[in-house]
Amino acid sequence: MKRKLFSAMLSAFALLLLMGAAAEPNPAYALLAEEESPASQEMELETEAQLPEEFPASEENGDSVPETPLEDFGNPVPEAPPAAAGDSKLLINGQPAPEGISRYVQMGTTYVALEVLAKELAPAVQVNWDGATMTVVTDQLTMTAKVGQLYVEANGRYLYVPEAVQLTEAGQAAVPLRAAAEAFGAQVGYDAATGVATVTSGSGAILSGDSFYNQDDLFWLSRVIYRESGNQSLEGQMAVGNVVLNRVADPAFPDTVEGVLAQKNQFTTYKSGVLRKTEPSAKSIIAAKLVLDGGVVKETRGALFFDCTNNSWAARNKQLIATFGDHNFYG
């Protein structure tokens, strides 16, 4: 009996030992946990410290994700340069011309809408347009341009427009860029490498005709033009005037208009006194002003002689350049 009781007590004690061993953690695993735990806590804290305060919420929990600019994270996004507005091939005082300037090229001449250019060069300009004639007025300039006319008038100056003042599809008066810029006393430049034309403001207005034209030259030139070609077109009259001025510029001839006309066997109307008594027409005066202002009829460029017959001295001895209107022109 005592033996059985002792065996039972021994079994119960062994059972208690087994239960205690099972409840005690494995020392190796406990040591590993103790070694890893501080590092894990530091990593977690470090990660949280690196996140910005406005970091977006997680979508996993159904939270909405606010849009946060990238520059808030220290990575600024470079802004794209603004697109150049207007006509980048025509710069007015360094800025692209407005698209409404309607720039186009005809026969090698760049045309622009006069009203738009005028407002860029003189913001306070007054423009009157009746569909056929445009008048531009500033405190320094009065300029007119009539559609179909071969010139523009600015402060009494006459600027040649070989392809005439034109009407754009938008119903605007268009004139050569250089002529319009000259009227405003502005300078025009051109970069062949880039194809960019530039207009830079200057004095604000062209010098007046009264100050620019030599009155003695205008007197004689308008009269010889009228006597020799008064029945011709405006360009036909200009071509005769070009011959006289070509001689003035040539060292083989006298260096004044009257001197050229007074040469022996050249313009007989001068020697007879008829030329002085001649009253030129308004068209002949305009033709004289056009050539004095640099207008050149390209078909007869460089001519030094003209006639209206085929048996003149020039016809026998000089090279024919062109026949224009009723006259032959020779170099």
Side-chain angles (χ1 to χ4, degrees):
M1 181 69 178
K2 290 179 178 180
R3 183 179 294 178
K4 289 183 180 180
L5 181 61
F6 178 77
S7 297
M9 292 177 64
L10 185 61
S11 297
F13 181 72
L15 180 60
L16 289 172
L17 290 174
L18 290 172
M19 291 177 63
E24 184 179 349
N26 188 312
Y29 288 116
L31 179 60
L32 181 60
E34 290 176 359
E35 292 177 349
E36 292 180 349
S37 179
S40 299
Q41 292 176 0
E42 291 176 4
M43 182 179 298
E44 183 178 356
L45 291 174
E46 183 180 354
T47 303
E48 291 177 355
Q50 290 174 344
L51 298 180
E53 293 180 0
E54 300 178 1
F55 193 82
S58 171
E59 291 183 332
E60 294 179 359
N61 298 325
D63 297 329
S64 62
V65 181
E67 295 184 359
T68 305
L70 291 180
E71 54 264 29
D72 289 346
F73 303 141
N75 297 313
V77 179
E79 295 184 0
D87 187 345
S88 61
K89 290 295 184 181
L90 174 58
L91 304 181
I92 302 176
N93 292 327
Q95 298 299 317
E99 292 182 355
I101 204 158
S102 303
R103 176 180 58 87
Y104 63 95
V105 178
Q106 180 166 330
M107 300 296 290
T109 299
T110 298
Y111 275 77
V112 295
L114 175 57
E115 181 175 2
V116 178
L117 180 64
K119 289 179 177 179
E120 287 295 304
L121 295 176
V125 68
Q126 295 180 354
V127 178
N128 180 53
W129 170 237
D130 63 8
T133 302
M134 179 168 286
T135 303
V136 173
V137 180
T138 73
D139 59 350
Q140 296 177 273
L141 173 69
T142 298
M143 177 182 181
T144 59
K146 184 177 181 179
V147 174
Q149 203 162 247
L150 294 175
Y151 58 86
V152 295
E153 183 181 355
N155 283 356
R157 299 275 293 278
Y158 286 77
L159 309 179
Y160 184 39
V161 181
E163 304 303 323
V165 176
Q166 300 184 6
L167 186 66
T168 69
E169 293 182 357
Q172 300 176 329
V175 299
L177 174 63
R178 289 188 180 276
E182 183 179 357
F184 278 90
Q187 291 76 47
V188 177
Y190 180 71
D191 187 334
T194 62
V196 175
T198 58
V199 179
T200 306
S201 294
S203 64
I206 194 171
L207 188 66
S208 72
D210 290 340
S211 300
F212 177 78
Y213 297 123
N214 180 296
Q215 295 304 308
D216 191 56
D217 287 346
L218 180 60
F219 177 92
W220 290 110
L221 189 60
S222 60
R223 281 159 174 75
V224 74
I225 285 175
Y226 179 71
R227 292 294 302 184
E228 299 289 346
S229 59
N231 63 342
Q232 301 296 294
S233 67
L234 180 62
E235 288 182 307
Q237 295 188 44
M238 286 177 63
V240 169
N242 284 153
V243 168
V244 176
L245 292 189
N246 288 345
R247 290 190 180 189
V248 172
D250 193 305
F253 295 87
D255 58 3
T256 66
V257 172
E258 186 178 7
V260 167
L261 301 183
Q263 269 195 304
K264 185 178 179 179
N265 299 326
Q266 295 301 309
F267 295 90
T268 57
T269 54
Y270 176 85
K271 186 176 181 179
S272 66
V274 171
L275 198 57
R276 180 181 291 276
K277 298 176 183 178
T278 298
E279 285 297 326
S281 66
K283 182 189 287 188
S284 295
I285 294 173
I286 291 174
K289 289 182 176 180
L290 284 167
V291 296
L292 286 170
D293 235 311
V296 175
V297 178
K298 62 182 179 181
E299 290 86 350
T300 62
R301 185 183 299 275
L304 291 170
F305 302 89
F306 67 90
D307 65 22
C308 55
T309 66
N310 293 322
N311 59 355
S312 67
W313 178 89
R316 296 190 304 271
N317 296 278
K318 296 295 180 179
Q319 181 177 0
L320 178 67
I321 293 177
T323 298
F324 197 86
D326 290 342
H327 290 93
N328 302 314
F329 294 85
Y330 306 88

